[in-house]
Amino acid sequence: MLSEIFCGIDWAEGHHDIALVDQDGSQVAKLRISDDSAGFHALIELLTRHGDSAEHPIPVAIETPRGLLVAGLRATGRQVYAINPLAAARYRDRASVSRAKSDAADARVLANILRTDRHAHRPLPDDSEAGQAVAVLARAHQDAIWDRQQMMNRLRSHLREYYPAALIAFHGAGKPGLDSPRARVILTAAPTPADAAKLSRSQLRALLKRGERPRCGIEAEVERLRAIFRADYLRQLPQVEQALGHQAVALIRQVDASCNSAAQLAAATEEAFLAHPDAEIIASFPGLSVLSGARILAELGDDRERFADARAMKAYAGAAPITRASGRSHVVVARTVKNQRLASAGHMWAFAALRTQAPRAHYDRRRAGGERHTAALRNLFNKLLGCLYHCLQRRTLFDPDRAFAAPLELAA
């Protein structure tokens, strides 16, 4: 049974505006609270005065799914609805044609959204504490990877200005990469072409031992680097080159920090994921490593009631296409409104799964049917996601024979 009171919260950095409306849309209370513990307790007291209880908690609408206020509200066991700000703006236009705007009015609009269209919005999932921890760490690790790549791009662009030997030595196919310990140690010790040309064999050998031992052997790598560093290249003026070298050292330190952050977050993510009850099921799927499995869990969560069925999960991930039909027009296109993090992880998941027999055969059949690579890969992700939904609901491990059963041939 729906509560007769609905709460809307217009949040801000320093304060939050609260509005309570009844079943008829009349505002019964309003309050501005501070963004601290005292403000939160004032909110709970206001809700309690208007009939809030453990058995029938008042639902809350707010424009953000994160933050201490949201965490506190979720801890009380009530349903919290995160309303998209764009959707809230459309509701505001429906309530007022004058385009007047205030924080108190926005809170009232959010409360009325629950009163009139609660069925059209979904509350925040009831993920476990362990699931929320995995989500925080997996997203932070992905952000650290993106930050590291951004720093790498800056360093590569900078080296192109004056130090082509560094790119020849470390950047490109078959090279260790500018973010490798080997490259960072050597470029820190020799940030300019002049410094690199002066490195002796013993110095290079010592630097390689500090960084990492190459697979080809230290002596072979020493000779390779000496030949590259002592070759003839275009050069900047000496003072300009020295200044660019100082800038390179600063960039390398930032790359060091981003690499260390990514490594630390990777270790923490793996530990949290492996301790989660769903880890064994998710890791049983082909193409999923510990880190990629953590990203899948982070975006899907562990609330088994979050998705009504497998189709809902596929739509959320962007794996299921959408149909646009109007008059004689009938087009099936890829879904663009989706969880971008989950879609990105799913693309890599499907691509990695091609190394196993059953997913590869499914992909090849789609390609033989005329689909392009991207569409076939998305269809494979769609298939794997449906299997994952089934396995999580029934607490079973992945079975390739059941997941990719041979297609039945129709009788003539």
Side-chain angles (χ1 to χ4, degrees):
M1 180 177 179
L2 291 178
S3 172
E4 294 182 353
I5 299 296
F6 304 90
C7 176
I9 301 178
D10 182 78
W11 70 280
E13 185 173 336
H15 63 269
H16 313 296
D17 283 87
I18 315 299
L20 301 183
V21 301
D22 60 16
Q23 195 73 35
D24 298 326
S26 301
Q27 181 170 291
V28 297
K30 67 177 182 177
L31 179 68
R32 171 168 287 189
I33 63 173
S34 55
D35 184 32
D36 54 17
S37 178
F40 178 75
H41 289 300
L43 168 61
I44 297 301
E45 183 181 350
L46 177 68
L47 295 176
T48 302
R49 289 202 307 266
H50 289 82
D52 183 71
S53 64
E55 295 77 17
H56 300 288
I58 294 176
V60 175
I62 191 170
E63 289 182 322
T64 178
R66 58 181 60 87
L68 288 173
L69 178 63
V70 175
L73 289 170
R74 295 181 70 180
T76 63
R78 71 185 66 253
Q79 289 187 325
V80 179
Y81 294 78
I83 307 299
N84 188 293
L86 291 177
R90 300 297 180 270
Y91 278 99
R92 188 190 308 122
D93 292 340
R94 186 177 70 175
S96 173
V97 296
S98 66
R99 305 189 68 84
K101 184 184 185 304
S102 68
D103 294 340
D106 286 348
R108 187 167 59 251
V109 167
L110 289 169
N112 278 308
I113 289 175
L114 291 187
R115 181 181 66 86
T116 59
D117 294 329
R118 185 180 180 183
H119 63 281
H121 300 275
R122 296 183 64 85
L124 292 176
D126 187 21
D127 292 328
S128 67
E129 183 178 355
Q132 293 181 53
V134 171
V136 170
L137 290 170
R139 291 168 184 167
H141 175 252
Q142 189 172 46
D143 290 340
I145 295 296
W146 290 338
D147 292 341
R148 184 181 66 183
Q149 186 59 51
Q150 186 178 38
M151 290 306 308
M152 287 282 300
N153 292 339
R154 289 183 60 187
L155 178 59
R156 179 177 61 85
S157 178
H158 179 69
L159 293 174
R160 284 178 57 87
E161 296 293 325
Y162 79 109
Y163 202 166
L167 297 179
I168 295 174
F170 302 115
H171 180 70
K175 308 293 177 58
L178 292 172
D179 61 336
S180 65
R182 187 190 325 173
R184 285 181 279 151
V185 167
I186 292 177
L187 291 178
T188 301
T192 67
D195 295 331
K198 295 176 183 177
L199 290 175
S200 64
R201 288 184 174 86
S202 60
Q203 289 173 324
L204 282 171
R205 194 178 297 113
L207 292 172
L208 288 172
K209 290 179 179 179
R210 282 173 50 196
E212 62 180 350
R213 294 179 178 271
R215 295 182 179 180
C216 62
I218 289 181
E219 295 303 324
E221 183 68 2
V222 166
E223 296 303 324
R224 185 184 78 88
L225 292 177
R226 272 177 59 86
I228 293 174
F229 290 153
R230 298 196 174 196
D232 184 31
Y233 304 98
L234 294 175
R235 299 276 292 272
Q236 294 276 3
L237 295 174
Q239 291 186 17
V240 176
E241 184 178 280
Q242 194 68 26
L244 291 168
H246 287 301
Q247 185 180 357
V249 171
L251 289 173
I252 293 169
R253 287 173 182 166
Q254 295 180 56
V255 172
D256 279 335
S258 62
C259 289
N260 292 334
S261 298
Q264 293 171 3
L265 286 169
T269 302
E270 290 180 355
E271 181 180 359
F273 173 70
L274 292 175
H276 194 279
D278 292 344
E280 184 180 7
I281 296 175
I282 295 175
S284 68
F285 277 72
L288 281 181
S289 64
V290 175
L291 286 175
S292 58
R295 292 182 183 179
I296 295 295
L297 174 61
E299 302 310 321
L300 294 179
D302 55 8
D303 180 6
R304 297 283 84 89
E305 303 298 324
R306 180 177 188 179
F307 301 104
D309 50 29
R311 294 182 62 184
M313 179 185 286
K314 295 174 181 178
Y316 178 71
I322 58 175
T323 301
R324 293 176 180 170
S326 177
R328 298 182 180 179
S329 174
H330 186 93
V331 182
V332 179
V333 296
R335 191 178 296 266
T336 56
V337 179
K338 56 191 173 184
N339 183 314
Q340 297 294 343
R341 288 182 183 267
L342 181 56
S344 176
H347 178 83
M348 299 305 299
W349 175 16
F351 189 78
L354 293 179
R355 290 177 289 186
T356 54
Q357 183 177 1
R360 182 74 199 198
H362 178 86
Y363 169 85
D364 289 340
R365 283 196 300 270
R366 304 295 300 194
R367 292 284 283 151
E371 288 188 358
R372 299 173 67 89
H373 166 74
T374 303
L377 207 61
R378 186 169 55 247
N379 183 273
L380 176 58
F381 174 41
N382 188 69
K383 178 78 171 179
L384 291 170
L385 207 56
C387 297
L388 178 60
Y389 178 86
H390 170 86
C391 291
L392 288 175
Q393 291 290 337
R394 292 164 176 76
R395 309 301 303 171
T396 59
L397 299 180
F398 175 77
D399 182 359
D401 294 332
R402 295 185 63 185
F404 292 92
L408 298 176
E409 296 185 3
L410 298 178

